[in-house]
Amino acid sequence: MHLFNLRSGTVEGVAQQVFYAFCMGLFFSLVKIITNSIHIGAILHFLFDLQFGIYGNTSTHMSWSVVVLLFLPLAVISIILIKSLETTVNANQNLLMEV
């Protein structure tokens, strides 16, 4: 959906927005898995959208190094924890099948 901003913004600004939206989506997925509720993720999304400048013009953008340094670690940590939780769930399911 963020790609619709190409109508009013620059390609680089929208690309950055899509990148950090993807990273935040991974984090919100992790929150949903851990809490088994969509409500906390929805509240966090709302608070993220309230940050200063989020509704600003996508024709302006930050340095890619800043965007990557801020959001890539969040995405990597989220992926690692999601995979770890998946492994735990699979191990528990196998244990239950043995019983």
Side-chain angles (χ1 to χ4, degrees), residues 11-21 60-64 67:
V11 172
E12 187 168 10
V14 174
Q16 287 180 355
Q17 185 184 54
V18 168
F19 176 75
Y20 74 69
T60 59
H61 55 274
M62 293 187 281
S63 163
W64 270 105
V67 173

Side-chain angles (χ1 to χ4, degrees), residues 34-47:
I34 290 173
T35 64
N36 198 29
S37 171
I38 197 168
H39 298 103
I40 294 172
I43 291 167
L44 290 173
H45 192 295
F46 172 76
L47 293 173

Side-chain angles (χ1 to χ4, degrees), residues 21-81:
F22 175 77
C23 294
M24 292 302 297
L26 286 171
F27 174 72
F28 293 145
S29 297
L30 175 65
V31 170
K32 191 323 187 164
I33 292 168
I34 290 173
T35 64
N36 198 29
S37 171
I38 197 168
H39 298 103
I40 294 172
I43 291 167
L44 290 173
H45 192 295
F46 172 76
L47 293 173
F48 183 76
D49 285 351
L50 280 180
Q51 73 176 322
F52 178 74
I54 193 77
Y55 291 109
N57 190 347
T58 55
S59 62
T60 59
H61 55 274
M62 293 187 281
S63 163
W64 270 105
S65 59
V66 172
V67 173
V68 170
L69 284 173
L70 286 175
F71 293 101
L72 188 59
L74 181 68
V76 170
I77 291 168
S78 295
I79 290 170
I80 291 169
L81 290 175

